[in-house]
Amino acid sequence: MISYRLEAEGKMSRGSLVRMEQGALSEGDTLVRVLYSGINYKDALAGQGKAPIAKSLPLNCGIEAVGHVVESTNPALEPGQAVIAHGMGMGVARDGGLADYMRADSEWLVPLPKGLSLLEAATIGVAGYSAALAVDRLESLGVEPDNGPIAVTGATGGVGSQAVAMLARLGYEVVAVTSKTDAGELFRTLGAADVIAPPEASDRMLDKSIWAGAVDTVGGDVLAWLLRSAKAEAAIAAIGNAGGNRLPTSVIPFILRGITLTGINGNSPPALRRRIWERLGSDLRPPRISAIARVIEPEEIDETMAEMIAGRTRGRAVVAFCGG
């Protein structure tokens, strides 16, 4: 079998395409023949030696994969069944999905929902799942289309762009917040009502109330701005920290406007994971999924990761381990 495998390089890891024995894979009750695996920024950091992502080495890279069950000790899974895998320590503490085979724990595998092909599920990937989880959470907190505009920050990223499309499809007035304002036409095709740049940092505790809700992938000063400009009883789903780990805010938005700040963790329990993927095959299915997929061969993984780190990639890179 072939895999993009991480080896120790000083305090970091470095990936390369290798051949390995299937019997050397991490333990798990189900063997999956991987057909597609999306490349995420976290994978690129590990593969290019930019961050200490992997907790044990050597290790196959990749925090997600889709494919067919080969064998399983769980009678609920049949050979040939299409499944989705992500999280579970994949590519961090156990062998991940950038390989043509992987072992997984059956309780975390999600049957491919109706309405999606395996390539579409791989294109949606962890980013789309996280976006759907955030949208589902806002709905559960009472954020409805009639409440007012919804902000999505870091909107050019994988999570942000899919959140824009999902919210627009559900009838929300979506404002894409991004420093890349030249991407306005792209966001209008995804359904955004407007595209704006994030404001400068401020020490103010409250601003004019604008947002009925938000999906924030940035954190830091941008999340602080969303909190102080949110409407009364608004809800904000925090899902990233590209803008920093610290949150320079106060209790004022919470106690004067009743704001809810809710965190989104993609390693959600199995029942929730399955429910969200069912929605991704139906009412949260992003439009034009195939248009954002860029299918590559395993031999292109290293180059693609380097381009991703340099900020030069477009669309969603999906590795085909099925020969096409």
Side-chain angles (χ1 to χ4, degrees):
M1 60 171 284
I2 61 171
S3 69
Y4 186 78
R5 195 157 179 83
L6 303 173
E7 301 279 353
E9 188 175 87
K11 295 182 179 180
M12 300 294 181
S13 58
R14 195 68 168 84
S16 62
L17 199 65
V18 302
R19 290 198 173 272
M20 63 178 288
E21 294 297 321
Q22 192 181 104
L25 287 170
S26 300
E27 293 183 357
D29 63 10
T30 302
L31 179 66
V32 177
R33 169 68 166 101
V34 176
L35 298 186
Y36 299 103
S37 181
I39 299 180
N40 295 277
Y41 193 71
K42 188 175 184 178
D43 302 324
L45 290 173
Q48 299 296 298
K50 301 298 183 182
I53 302 296
K55 304 302 182 185
S56 63
L57 293 167
L59 191 73
N60 290 347
C61 192
I63 63 172
E64 62 177 80
V66 300
H68 290 136
V69 172
V70 176
E71 59 185 21
S72 179
T73 60
N74 185 339
L77 292 176
E78 299 179 354
Q81 184 173 352
V83 291
I84 301 166
H86 56 84
M88 309 182 296
M90 290 172 57
V92 177
R94 63 189 295 167
D95 285 323
L98 284 172
D100 51 6
Y101 287 91
M102 64 170 287
R103 285 199 172 274
D105 296 332
S106 57
E107 67 173 321
W108 293 99
L109 293 174
V110 177
L112 182 74
K114 294 179 180 179
L116 289 177
S117 69
L118 279 170
L119 177 56
E120 289 170 337
T123 304
I124 291 170
V126 170
Y129 174 81
S130 300
L133 194 58
V135 171
D136 186 81
R137 183 73 58 78
L138 291 182
E139 290 177 325
S140 72
L141 291 170
V143 180
E144 299 179 354
D146 292 341
N147 293 4
I150 306 294
V152 177
T153 67
T156 56
V159 176
S161 59
Q162 295 197 60
V164 169
M166 292 174 195
L167 287 162
R169 179 176 181 179
L170 292 173
Y172 291 87
E173 178 189 348
V174 187
V175 176
V177 183
T178 174
S179 56
K180 300 176 182 177
T181 51
D182 59 343
E185 187 57 35
L186 166 65
F187 289 115
R188 278 182 275 277
T189 64
L190 292 176
D194 198 5
V195 182
I196 64 172
E200 297 293 328
S202 171
D203 292 330
R204 291 190 298 272
M205 294 185 182
L206 285 178
D207 282 340
K208 178 182 177 182
S209 60
I210 303 172
W211 313 113
V215 176
D216 175 59
T217 72
V218 178
D221 290 325
V222 172
L223 178 53
W225 163 66
L226 289 173
L227 288 168
R228 67 176 183 265
S229 57
K231 289 184 172 184
E233 307 305 320
I236 297 171
I239 201 168
N241 59 348
N245 295 326
R246 295 187 177 277
L247 180 57
T249 190
S250 72
V251 299
I252 298 302
F254 302 99
I255 63 176
L256 293 188
R257 291 182 179 169
I259 309 301
T260 296
L261 175 61
T262 183
I264 301 299
N265 179 358
N267 275 319
S268 42
L272 176 58
R273 171 179 303 227
R274 289 178 172 83
R275 183 174 68 78
I276 295 299
W277 273 106
E278 286 296 325
R279 291 197 67 184
L280 281 164
S282 56
D283 65 318
L284 290 184
R285 188 182 193 277
R288 296 174 288 279
I289 303 173
S290 58
I292 65 172
R294 183 167 61 89
V295 181
I296 66 172
E297 298 298 319
E299 291 76 14
E300 300 175 83
I301 292 174
D302 209 56
E303 179 184 356
T304 300
M305 285 182 171
E307 291 289 301
M308 186 175 287
I309 294 294
R312 293 193 293 264
T313 53
R314 289 276 183 178
R316 167 85 163 147
V318 178
V319 185
F321 288 98
C322 55

